[in-house]
Amino acid sequence: LALHARIEASTALPTAATDGHDIYVNPAFFGKLTGDEQEALLLHEVLHAALSHLPRRGGRDAKRWNIAADVVING
């Protein structure tokens, strides 16, 4: 999945995000991370896509759903 995702810089967000296809990363935040942390961040965003978190959200509250999805990924 990571090979098919576009990784785009975005200053519109504080850290990183995904739309389920592409990954958006704040370059200032990303640049402060170690190499291992950068890999972990990208893996985290790819796992949102792999686990279909965005299409499965449906009409649920987006913020609460993202927190629950992050718990699954970071667990």
Side-chain angles (χ1 to χ4, degrees):
L1 289 173
L3 294 174
H4 299 286
R6 276 189 318 219
I7 301 173
E8 295 188 21
S10 174
T11 58
L13 52 116
T15 57
T18 183
D19 61 5
H21 301 285
D22 299 322
I23 298 170
Y24 305 93
V25 181
N26 181 307
F29 172 79
F30 195 75
K32 293 178 184 176
L33 301 176
T34 67
D36 286 346
E37 290 169 332
Q38 290 175 345
E39 288 180 20
L41 181 135
L42 295 174
L43 175 59
H44 175 97
E45 298 304 334
V46 166
L47 284 173
H48 278 299
L51 298 172
S52 299
H53 284 162
L54 276 83
R56 290 177 44 223
R57 182 179 77 210
R60 296 177 181 95
D61 179 83
K63 184 175 181 177
R64 290 179 70 195
W65 179 262
N66 189 56
I67 291 168
D70 284 346
V71 168
V72 169
I73 289 172
N74 295 336

